[in-house]
Amino acid sequence: MTPQDHFTLVAPLARGREEDLRRLLETLNTAPGVADPHHALLPFGDFKQLHFARLVLIDDALQSDLRLLGQTPAPLPTLLVLMGDCDGPAQDCLADMAERAAMGLRRLFSHCEGFDAEVNDNRDGDLLAWLLAHEQPAQASYVNWVGRTVLQIREEAALQVWLSSQVARVALAHDGAARRVREALVALAGVELDSGRLSLTRPLPTPPAWRLANLLNLVGVPLAGLLLAPFLLLASPLLLWRLRSLENSDPEICPRPTAALLQTLQVLEDRDVTNQYTAIGPVKPGAFRRWLLSGLLVLIDYASRHLFKRGFLARVQTIHFARWVFLDDKTRVLFISNYDGGHQGYMDDFINKVAWGLNLVFSNGVGWPRTSWLICGGAQIEQRFKPYQRRHQVPTQVWYKAYPGLSLVDLNRNQRIREGLDQPRMSDAQALAWLKLL
């Protein structure tokens, strides 16, 4: 199994370079926000291990909300953020990009502070070192199906198309017919695979280092929790009192987003069966909120790594990848996801299924709809939650998907088709169910 990884590169823009960069980013697209996979400057489609990628400009517009909490917001530079989800180590993917798209990456990041002075144009190694130096770790991340690679997705999609073209659309009249049709398809597929016209690459062995890191995380996080439990238990009355006092006093900031922002966001959406989502907001000030949010993100990352790794994030089944990243010394949180369906359906999914989970994390953000005991209220208050999340959403200037037109439903179906092809024997009922997938 090849596990998935991710990268988040963050660099502040140099003064006076934002408009030039915005114009450059527009040239990378074939439609608003949709990357040209074979663009000469940054050909995302050439990197076969890359599932999703995006380029986003993030300003400090919502820092003004801190004034309602008695804070004076510090001015923050506009950031250029390059994010990607990939098969195998992120460093390998970045090394590949630095080698084969060096000119494009240099042109993009030349708009950032200090880039030209820090990177020698004649040495690719310096470019990679600069990229790695600007990588920001994720506090929590989610992968829908750990181990399902871009290569597997593409090969299984091609298999599904070919097998479907071989099936006659007629009723099966008698017992045993489904089994015989399947056996004939298996034989035909074997010929296509032997000839090289179809490919089904076998999974690579799981890297031992990843297995060890995963095991250490599996054991280490609960062990750390056990060690902290006595102290948390003793401090729980004070902590609960502090939580409730903040919940009762922190202001809600849920105005409707401007028409201009809505139009900008909606133009970028529904270009595929999958959509992108990028949002950012300031963390409520104070050590209590910062430590609470940090701890909760550790728990979310743990659950995503060990529990929710086969198609589900709690009860939500539409998310391909998601990530939470601290910025600016944990004063802001960046959240991104790639999800199937429309934006309203995505939000309704969260409201109806895991509103409590949203509250755990995002109630620590400035202006979140009022919660009670951390998990009640908040996102369940639909008329406040929906304007809040839209206002915090950021337009994604460039977004790449390696398998356009395929949803998670398609990916899961295609995987079941492949598994059925490998199965040595099936009953007639099993064969019929398999044929229905075609």
Side-chain angles (χ1 to χ4, degrees):
M1 179 188 77
T2 300
Q4 281 62 54
D5 202 357
H6 51 262
F7 56 84
T8 303
L9 309 182
V10 181
L13 295 192
R15 189 182 299 275
R17 302 301 306 276
E18 182 174 344
E19 290 308 313
D20 287 343
L21 179 56
R22 287 186 181 276
R23 285 192 290 270
L24 176 60
L25 292 176
E26 288 179 2
T27 67
L28 301 180
N29 295 325
T30 56
V34 180
D36 176 355
H38 304 297
H39 194 282
L41 197 64
L42 192 53
F44 287 120
D46 288 358
F47 308 110
K48 304 305 181 185
Q49 70 274 58
L50 195 61
H51 288 257
F52 290 91
R54 70 185 69 196
L55 284 156
V56 188
L57 290 174
I58 295 175
D59 61 23
D60 68 344
L62 294 178
Q63 290 297 102
S64 59
D65 289 349
L66 288 168
R67 293 192 176 93
L68 295 177
L69 283 86
Q71 302 285 314
T72 301
L76 298 174
T78 298
L79 304 174
L80 172 60
V81 182
L82 170 60
M83 310 180 82
D85 302 287
C86 59
D87 298 320
Q91 185 168 340
D92 292 351
C93 184
L94 286 172
D96 191 22
M97 294 175 70
E99 179 180 353
R100 296 198 286 143
M103 183 183 71
L105 290 171
R106 286 195 173 95
R107 188 171 172 192
L108 282 170
F109 286 108
S110 68
H111 295 80
C112 297
E113 288 182 1
F115 179 85
D116 289 330
E118 296 173 26
V119 177
N120 183 328
D121 286 348
N122 296 318
R123 292 177 60 194
D124 288 346
D126 287 344
L127 173 61
L128 178 59
W130 190 91
L131 296 176
L132 294 175
H134 286 77
E135 187 175 9
Q136 194 75 16
Q139 275 56 55
S141 61
Y142 167 75
V143 178
N144 179 271
W145 198 283
V146 176
R148 184 155 59 191
T149 65
V150 175
L151 179 62
Q152 177 185 341
I153 290 168
R154 289 174 170 169
E155 289 182 347
E156 290 175 354
L159 175 67
Q160 184 272 330
V161 169
W162 183 83
L163 286 171
S164 295
S165 71
Q166 304 301 311
V167 177
R169 305 298 166 176
V170 295
L172 298 176
H174 52 81
D175 292 343
R179 192 168 62 253
R180 282 191 287 275
V181 170
R182 177 190 171 273
E183 289 169 354
L185 286 174
V186 170
L188 282 172
V191 172
E192 293 297 302
L193 290 167
D194 290 341
S195 68
R197 288 188 288 270
L198 279 178
S199 297
L200 289 177
T201 306
R202 294 298 174 187
L204 295 173
T206 303
W210 184 87
R211 283 188 182 275
L212 178 60
N214 215 41
L215 178 60
L216 291 175
N217 181 271
L218 178 65
V219 175
V221 171
L223 181 60
L226 286 174
L227 294 174
L228 290 172
F231 303 98
L232 293 175
L233 185 61
L234 286 173
S236 60
L238 178 61
L239 295 175
L240 291 172
W241 171 82
R242 181 60 175 160
L243 173 65
R244 285 301 293 146
S245 64
L246 290 173
E247 288 182 327
N248 289 327
S249 61
D250 286 341
E252 295 179 318
I253 309 172
C254 307
R256 293 188 177 277
T258 64
L261 175 59
L262 272 179
Q263 182 178 9
T264 300
L265 295 172
Q266 290 169 350
V267 164
L268 303 175
E269 292 170 351
D270 299 327
R271 300 282 173 175
D272 187 80
V273 294
T274 304
N275 273 304
Q276 48 70 32
Y277 184 81
T278 307
I280 191 168
V283 178
K284 291 175 179 176
F288 178 84
R289 288 293 190 179
R290 185 179 298 190
W291 282 104
L292 177 60
L293 179 55
S294 298
L296 290 169
L297 286 174
V298 169
L299 295 179
I300 288 173
D301 186 67
Y302 184 86
S304 297
R305 184 188 290 235
H306 302 294
L307 300 177
F308 305 127
K309 56 181 183 177
R310 286 293 183 267
F312 295 82
L313 179 56
R315 293 168 55 206
V316 177
Q317 304 178 51
T318 56
I319 303 174
H320 293 254
F321 292 87
R323 201 176 324 158
W324 293 260
V325 181
F326 277 132
L327 298 178
D328 308 306
D329 193 27
K330 294 190 176 182
T331 61
R332 293 196 289 175
V333 173
L334 174 66
F335 172 75
I336 68 107
S337 66
N338 303 286
Y339 66 94
D340 291 335
H343 179 87
Q344 287 299 322
Y346 182 48
M347 291 300 119
D348 289 340
D349 232 11
F350 278 109
I351 292 170
N352 297 327
K353 297 177 180 178
V354 287
W356 61 270
L358 286 184
N359 291 339
L360 280 176
V361 176
F362 294 107
S363 66
N364 297 289
V366 172
W368 185 259
R370 197 173 302 284
T371 56
S372 177
W373 301 111
L374 200 60
I375 61 174
C376 300
Q380 295 168 338
I381 310 170
E382 181 178 352
Q383 298 309 314
R384 296 178 191 172
F385 163 66
K386 285 187 174 179
Y388 177 94
Q389 59 81 26
R390 267 302 200 189
R391 181 170 173 263
H392 285 72
Q393 191 175 350
V394 178
T396 299
Q397 279 74 28
V398 180
W399 180 66
Y400 166 75
K401 178 185 176 184
Y403 26 91
L406 294 177
S407 68
L408 284 166
V409 171
D410 297 323
L411 269 54
N412 293 335
R413 177 203 61 205
N414 295 347
Q415 185 169 321
R416 290 170 61 196
I417 290 170
R418 176 180 181 164
E419 290 168 352
L421 193 69
D422 291 337
Q423 193 170 329
R425 292 183 182 84
M426 281 188 181
S427 67
D428 204 48
Q430 291 173 323
L432 182 60
W434 185 79
L435 288 172
K436 287 179 178 179
L437 296 175
L438 304 176

